[in-house]
Amino acid sequence: MAYPLKAVVHELDLSSGRLVLEVEYAGQDIERYLTDGGVSFDMEALKGSQDMERETYSLSNVVAKLLKTDSTLYRLECQLPESVFVAEQRGAIRIPFVLGMQARVSLEVYLHELNVPGRLRNLSVGGCMVDIDLAESIAIGVNQEIPGITIEFPNGESFFAEGKVRHIRPFGNHGYAAVGIQFINMGAPQTEALFRYVNESEREAAYRTGANDKMDYHAPLFIPGAKEKQILQRETQEREKRARQSPMERGVTDVAHQLQVGLMYMKTRDLFPEEIFYDCVDTLRYLVEQNRKAFLYALAFLRDEPDWVRHAVQVAGQLADMLLARDPHDPHVREAVLGALLHTLGKPLLVGPRLPSLKVNMNPEQKDILKGHVIALRHKLEALGWMPSPTCREIIEKANERLDGTGYPAGKRGDQLSERVRLVAVIKAVNKLRHVRNGIPPRTPLDAYRMIHEAATAYDKTVLVEYIQAYGLYPIGSLAKFSGGFLAWVMEIDSKGMPIQVKVIKNLRFPDTNISCELGSGDFAQIGKLEDIVNPADYDVKVIKV
């Protein structure tokens, strides 16, 4: 099916293996989600003190009965299989990695160029399923051959093979993708080693699930060695550094994830997921209207998402904010924000052997390739048969144009650029200057405004003034440094653009200790005078992903 459905566990009887899922679905074809009376689904649980750890499990072809209980509410009555081990079509057994079983994976997508890390989710003698960051999925396509897959088990042993991607899909709701890989071109020693690893994995799964009473100890492969223990300890510490996300931050992060899921459907299924993208736009508008200041604060926490995603969501979010401030009833807001969200999708579409990653400092040839992202997106949309509205198309195609004709791809100038395009151009320019770009460190807001103002006739200076009035010299979401040696996120500013509420996160005299303390302007004397806006990366301030 084009899109997965979200379901909630309604009942679970462990003794009988009966599982009841509740699904909301407004369409007419829900029966198509069942194949020969069976349904396939992923289960994802968040656990730990702050829901920072994920336990995931996939089930295929579970016997299910579909019952309609309301106009859009359904029950799926499932009979769980007796064993966690699944027989594959070729007769092999697929071992799921459950109840904390894990092995780390490195996919060498382009030889000597791009390695993607992941976690093993199941293993058989025919192949495996790997769970990777959704952001890394842009370089991977169905039927693509992978020069190298390295699986490293907790005790330090590793297995290497070549592979071929058989499927790729979103995995759960927290920014991950599942990649199914078939092992290819294996020699006899590799096959022999793989059989041993599969057997040990089967023993470990049997031990952890209690499927075999005779198994009373861990398989040696899954006893952590010194290296694995260090990695686990570091991961625990990283999770503990991070407080729970606010609902607003979660909402903004979900938009970033859905944008990447939409791209995956365009690349791997030749489908334009209009519903997903419009849902992203409507969510951004809803969040702006619900609590503007909290929304602007949440946008800043996308800084560890891939640059193309962060840039798209932040620009689209600020565009929605400024257009609604101009006229809350403007009928073009939805299409303009959609154009801003889609505008950068052409960049990941260009990833390939000549441009293996968007993360690297690019050489001149790669920069030239990337300048073709608008045309690449236009061609892809044409191939998928989706026609943007005039307002949406205008933003997609002209967001990089400049008033003096120095922009791209068409070198348009002056009166050829509408008021909306002039606004997007300024928002994009500030956003680019405020973030690391091709190894160039980010500028402070004041420096960014000065550079745009000094760019002679490239940008509309009236729009720049409007932008500065909206966000100030110390924008919400910026990291401020105070004279007492404290770092704090700006949470709210007054009508003059000065911070009046901050969240203190570090005392630089104790750099290894994190703080989480909100202060109003009346208490700023405790942390000193505001000095400047600084780059979070300079002080190792990071966002940890769930």
Side-chain angles (χ1 to χ4, degrees), residues 65 82 115 152 163 234 237 262 314 417 427 488 496 540:
K65 189 163 63 174
E82 291 184 15
N115 277 290
E152 189 167 338
R234 192 164 63 241
Q237 289 169 347
Q314 288 178 341
L417 306 178
I427 295 172
K496 296 178 181 176
D540 201 30

Side-chain angles (χ1 to χ4, degrees), residues 104-121:
R104 300 178 191 280
V105 178
S106 176
L107 303 177
E108 190 173 21
V109 179
Y110 297 114
L111 196 60
H112 312 310
E113 287 281 355
L114 178 65
N115 277 290
V116 171
R119 288 178 183 267
L120 199 60
R121 288 302 172 194

